[in-house]
C-alpha cells in the first residue's frame, strides 16, 4: 500500500529497513538481527531517514515511513527527529495472512501479530486522533480505497489540523 500512496501523491517512500539494506556498513551490522526476525531498532537508523528527507527537501511533497512507529520508543524518536505524523495507518491483519504476505515478500515475520499489537497499542492510544485503522484482510485495492480520502484531506490542507475518519470495517 505504501507504494500506491507514493505513486498517487508523489510522496517519498522511506523504509528504514530498505535504507539499512542499501547502507553497506549498517546493512551488514543488522543482517543477522533481521535474519532472526527482529525489526531494525529505529534509533539505529533514524539518521538515515533524516538524511533522505533533507536530501529531498526541495522537491518533497510528503513522505511515507513504512512500518514505523512500531512502539512508543519509535514514536518518540520519530517525533523528536522528524515531527508529529499527519496520519498513521494501522493495518489490522491476522497471523495467517501476515505470514502468507511476508512469505510472498520474502521477508521474515518479526513477531506474532498479537505481540506486535501489544507493542503498538500505546502508539495507537498516543496518536488516537491521527490513527486510521483498516481491515487488511481484504485485497490491496480495497484497502487503498479506504485510505485515499484521508490522504486527500492531508494533501489539501497540509499544515492545518484535519479530522481523520476511521474505516467502518
Amino acid at each position: 500500500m505504501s507504494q500506491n500512496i507514493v505513486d498517487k501523491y508523489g510522496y517519498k517512500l522511506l523504509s528504514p529497513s530498505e535504507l539499512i539494506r542499501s547502507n553497506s556498513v549498517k546493512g551488514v551490522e543488522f543482517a543477522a538481527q533481521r535474519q532472526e526476525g527482529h525489526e531494525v531498532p529505529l534509533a539505529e537508523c533514524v539518521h538515515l531517514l533524516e538524511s533522505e528527507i533533507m536530501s529531498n527537501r526541495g522537491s518533497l511533497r510528503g513522505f511515507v515511513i513504512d512500518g514505523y512507529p512500531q512502539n512508543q520508543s519509535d514514536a518518540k524518536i520519530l517525533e523528536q527527529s522528524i515531527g508529529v505524523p499527519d496520519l498513521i495507518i494501522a493495518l489490522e491483519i491476522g497471523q495467517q495472512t501476515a505470514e502468507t504476505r511476508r512469505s510472498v515478500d520474502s521477508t521474515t515475520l518479526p513477531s506474532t501479530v498479537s505481540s506486535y499489537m501489544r507493542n503498538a497499542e500505546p502508539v495507537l492510544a498516543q496518536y488516537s486522533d491521527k490513527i486510521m485503522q483498516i481491515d487488511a484482510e481484504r485485497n490491496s485495492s480495497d484497502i487503498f480505497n479506504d485510505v485515499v480520502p484521508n490522504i486527500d484531506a492531508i494533501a489539501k490542507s497540509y499544515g492545518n489540523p484535519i479530522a481523520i475518519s476511521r474505516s467502518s470495517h
Side-chain angles (χ1 to χ4, degrees), residues 100-113:
T100 300
R101 290 182 183 169
R102 290 286 182 156
S103 67
V104 167
D105 292 338
S106 300
T107 58
T108 56
L109 190 62
S111 61
T112 64
V113 171

Side-chain angles (χ1 to χ4, degrees), residues 74-139:
D74 287 352
K76 183 177 180 180
I77 291 166
L78 283 173
E79 198 167 306
Q80 290 173 344
S81 301
I82 298 169
V84 177
D86 291 318
L87 176 66
I88 295 177
I89 302 167
L91 301 177
E92 297 173 347
I93 190 168
Q95 186 70 31
Q96 179 77 28
T97 304
E99 289 173 2
T100 300
R101 290 182 183 169
R102 290 286 182 156
S103 67
V104 167
D105 292 338
S106 300
T107 58
T108 56
L109 190 62
S111 61
T112 64
V113 171
S114 61
S115 172
Y116 175 82
M117 286 309 298
R118 259 192 317 279
N119 288 330
E121 279 178 19
V123 175
L124 299 177
Q126 177 179 346
Y127 295 110
S128 62
D129 61 331
K130 297 180 182 290
I131 296 290
M132 180 179 187
Q133 291 183 299
I134 296 191
D135 173 12
E137 294 285 339
R138 303 170 297 142
N139 72 51

Side-chain angles (χ1 to χ4, degrees), residues 46-47 54 60 67 82 119 129 141 160-161 166:
V46 73
H47 68 282
M54 294 308 288
L60 197 59
I82 298 169
N119 288 330
D129 61 331
S141 63
N160 298 322
R166 291 190 170 80

Side-chain angles (χ1 to χ4, degrees), residues 27-38:
V28 170
E29 186 178 325
F30 290 115
Q33 185 176 353
R34 287 194 354 262
Q35 268 309 90
E36 294 173 8
H38 302 289

